[in-house]
């Protein structure tokens, strides 16, 4: 860690193969990369509040605010974006009785519980932060023992694999035309990745998405195939407007149900930081406690105004994996864009016109890149799969996560990512006492 709280970002050559967290691109390229990250997070950040009956514009706004808070807490040294967490959906629906269709009439109760969850998460982060400072990285050493490369690689891969059904369902759509358009989108992104260079190649998700939307428009609105893009909502939406804010209401029953979600958020954040550490080649364990606190505080502030709980986003990690641009300043720009979008109903309506099959095709690419990033951790760290311990830990973790193996304790449910993460840690700890080779 350098002496100053924030890095002194170095201006990097855009042609460099890797742009590190403490590097920065020229501002036009930084802005373009920020837009790409906004596009990457947008679908999930909007979908989560819709499933819970929250205002999507508040979620977008608070994702930007939360990302800026996270940036401040980690001293600008951990590249990450905070978006709406899906871990809250089950709990919110349980405590509010929301049945879908329009605003959630009992949103206040859910917001109070989300704030309670954020508080628990923050306290966990403060404990890790304090232990790290007292033991000169003791928490980081403990985390390293609990999560060696075989575990972290499996957990990162699981994040992508667990999301695979969502991506596949979105890609298949409701017709053969939708499925073909999703495949065309994948080809657009792949073509940009392989046959272009420079900043166009770095912006492969954004450029590929744009090309796919143009192709979809020509085939539907012009040629009459499939479902045309409807711009009615865009024309009716105002350029500037306030989102719908809500005040929280605190009920012990609701808080007791949703507060344990903090465990899942810890697991997600832990896996994401390990993934970014592996991709950047920088040890970010010393910032683990700060990252937890930043995420927890952002969740509390979001819940206090009507937003969803937030978490570090796998979609944006996928973008970093393929672009190899990890500059933390990119996320400041992305956060500011998101804040502006939160006050622009028209732009929100425009983004929502992106066809489902196109978003599904992009999701397949992004989630797949996350899964491959996990395999890369194994390769880079030369994980020995002739060791039965490593083989069993990886095998069990991948199947539990990809199959969304969930555990329910009362009204609390640990989903596939959380179960796979803690399962991998516990399984490795139980098997670590002996090293065995695979029998021929």
């Amino acid at each position: 860690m350098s002496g100053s709280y924030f890095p002194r970002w170095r201006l990097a050559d855009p042609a460099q193969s890797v742009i590190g967290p403490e590097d920065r691109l020229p501002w036009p390229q930084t802005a373009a990369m920020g837009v790409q990250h906004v596009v990457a997070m947008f679908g999930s950040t909007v979908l989560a509040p819709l499933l819970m009956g929250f205002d999507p514009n508040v979620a977008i706004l608070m994702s930007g605010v939360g990302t800026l808070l996270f940036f401040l807490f980690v001293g600008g040294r951990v590249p990450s974006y905070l978006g709406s967490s899906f871990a809250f959906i089950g709990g919110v629906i349980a405590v509010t009785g929301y049945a879908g269709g329009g605003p959630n009439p009992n949103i206040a109760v859910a917001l109070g519980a989300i704030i309670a969850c954020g508080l628990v998460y923050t306290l966990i982060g403060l404990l890790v932060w304090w232990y790290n400072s007292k033991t000169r990285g003791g928490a980081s050493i403990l985390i390293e023992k609990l999560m060696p490369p075989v575990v972290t690689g499996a957990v990162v891969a699981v994040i992508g694999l667990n999301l695979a059904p969502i991506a596949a369902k979105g890609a298949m759509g409701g017709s053969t035309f939708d499925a073909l358009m999703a495949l065309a989108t994948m080809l657009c992104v792949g073509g940009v990745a392989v046959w272009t260079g420079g900043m166009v190649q770095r912006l492969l998700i954004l450029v590929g998405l744009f090309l796919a939307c143009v192709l979809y428009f020509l085939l539907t609105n012009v040629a009459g195939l499939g479902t045309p893009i409807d711009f009615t909502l865009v024309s009716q939406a105002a350029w500037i407007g306030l989102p719908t804010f809500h005040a929280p209401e605190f009920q012990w029953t609701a808080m007791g149900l949703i507060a344990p979600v903090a465990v899942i958020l810890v697991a997600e954040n832990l896996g994401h930081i390990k993934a970014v550490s592996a991709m950047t080649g920088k040890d970010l364990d010393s910032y683990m406690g700060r990252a937890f606190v930043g995420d927890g505080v952002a969740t509390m502030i979001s819940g206090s105004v009507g937003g969803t709980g937030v978490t570090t986003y796998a979609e944006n990690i996928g973008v970093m994996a393929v672009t190899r641009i990890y500059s933390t300043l990119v996320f400041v720009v992305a956060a500011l864009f998101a804040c502006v979008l939160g006050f622009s109903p028209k732009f929100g309506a425009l983004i929502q016109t992106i066809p489902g099959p196109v978003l599904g095709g992009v999701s397949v690419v992004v989630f797949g890149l996350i899964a491959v990033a996990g395999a890369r951790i194994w390769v880079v760290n030369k994980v020995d799969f002739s060791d039965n311990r490593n083989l069993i830990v990886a095998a069990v973790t991948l199947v539990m996560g990809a199959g969304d193996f969930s555990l329910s304790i009362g009204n609390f449910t640990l989903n596939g990512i959380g179960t796979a993460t803690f399962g991998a840690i516990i399984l490795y700890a139980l098997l670590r006492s002996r090293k065995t080779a695979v029998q021929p």
Side-chain angles (χ1 to χ4, degrees):
M1 233 181 341
S2 63
S4 60
Y5 186 77
F6 289 106
R8 295 178 179 177
W9 288 276
R10 303 173 294 268
L11 180 61
D13 182 351
Q16 285 179 209
S17 59
V18 177
I19 307 297
E22 299 183 14
D23 295 331
R24 76 167 179 87
L25 292 166
W27 290 114
Q29 288 91 330
T30 297
M33 284 302 304
V35 172
Q36 179 164 265
H37 276 287
V38 169
V39 171
M41 68 83 185
F42 196 90
S44 296
T45 294
V46 168
L47 179 60
L50 289 177
L51 294 176
M52 293 184 283
F54 288 31
D55 184 348
N57 269 52
V58 175
I60 296 168
L61 172 62
M62 296 317 297
S63 76
V65 172
T67 299
L68 292 175
L69 285 170
F70 183 91
F71 176 87
L72 292 175
F73 273 103
V74 299
R77 287 181 164 84
V78 180
S80 194
Y81 193 92
L82 303 189
S84 302
S85 173
F86 281 70
F88 290 92
I89 294 176
V92 168
I93 292 175
V95 301
T96 62
Y98 182 65
N104 190 327
N106 299 316
I107 186 174
V109 176
L111 296 177
I114 288 172
I115 294 173
C117 177
L119 177 60
V120 173
Y121 191 9
T122 301
L123 292 175
I124 294 172
L126 288 172
L127 181 62
V128 173
W129 192 347
W130 171 81
Y131 191 71
N132 250 341
S133 64
K134 289 294 183 182
T135 59
R136 294 183 180 181
S140 303
I141 295 172
L142 179 61
I143 290 170
E144 191 63 35
K145 288 183 178 179
L146 291 174
M147 298 190 71
V150 64
V151 172
T152 55
V155 170
V156 173
V158 155
I159 293 172
L161 293 175
N162 183 264
L163 296 169
I166 298 174
K169 185 176 180 180
M172 289 185 292
S175 66
T176 301
F177 176 80
D178 289 346
L180 291 175
M181 274 308 309
L183 292 173
T185 301
M186 298 175 210
L187 288 175
C188 286
V189 176
V192 174
V194 174
W195 292 316
T196 64
M199 280 306 298
V200 174
Q201 189 178 62
R202 298 282 188 146
L203 295 169
L204 77 167
I205 302 294
L206 189 60
V207 175
L209 179 67
F210 174 75
L211 293 175
C213 285
V214 171
L215 177 60
Y216 188 95
F217 178 83
L218 293 174
L219 292 174
T220 57
N221 294 64
V222 178
L225 301 173
T227 304
I229 301 175
D230 185 0
F231 294 100
T232 303
L233 291 178
V234 178
S235 62
Q236 294 176 347
W239 281 103
I240 300 175
L242 286 174
T244 305
F245 295 115
H246 291 277
E249 177 183 331
F250 298 94
Q251 291 186 5
W252 285 110
T253 302
M255 289 190 290
L257 178 64
I258 293 182
V261 171
V263 175
I264 303 174
L265 300 181
V266 167
E268 290 178 342
N269 205 334
L270 189 64
H272 292 176
I273 288 178
K274 283 295 184 180
V276 174
S277 294
M279 290 188 291
T280 61
K282 291 183 176 290
D283 183 5
L284 299 176
D285 283 356
S286 60
Y287 297 99
M288 194 78 71
R290 293 189 188 187
F292 292 169
V293 172
D295 199 352
V297 171
T299 292
M300 286 192 288
I301 292 177
S302 179
S304 67
V305 297
T308 62
V310 295
T311 186
T312 49
Y313 248 35
E315 290 87 338
N316 298 88
I317 292 175
V319 172
M320 285 191 284
V322 71
T323 62
R324 289 181 291 183
I325 295 176
Y326 309 104
S327 174
T328 53
L329 288 179
V330 167
F331 292 93
V332 174
V333 174
L336 293 175
F337 269 121
C339 290
V340 172
L341 295 182
F343 292 106
S344 178
K346 186 173 287 291
F347 196 87
L350 178 63
I351 294 295
Q352 292 187 63
T353 62
I354 297 175
V358 173
L359 280 177
V362 170
S363 296
V364 169
V365 176
V366 173
F367 296 163
L369 290 170
I370 298 168
V372 172
R376 182 178 180 275
I377 293 175
W378 292 335
V379 173
V380 170
N381 292 278
K382 298 181 173 61
V383 175
D384 182 12
F385 281 108
S386 67
D387 181 350
N388 279 349
R389 173 186 54 189
N390 293 337
L391 198 63
I392 294 298
V393 168
V396 172
T397 304
L398 290 177
V399 173
M400 288 177 71
D404 198 21
F405 185 92
S406 302
L407 288 176
S408 295
I409 303 174
N411 290 323
F412 172 65
T413 299
L414 193 66
N415 70 357
I417 294 177
T419 304
T421 298
F422 289 108
I425 294 171
I426 295 170
L427 188 59
Y428 183 85
L430 292 174
L431 300 179
R432 66 180 299 178
S433 60
R434 184 175 181 182
K435 180 176 180 179
T436 59
V438 176
Q439 299 300 316

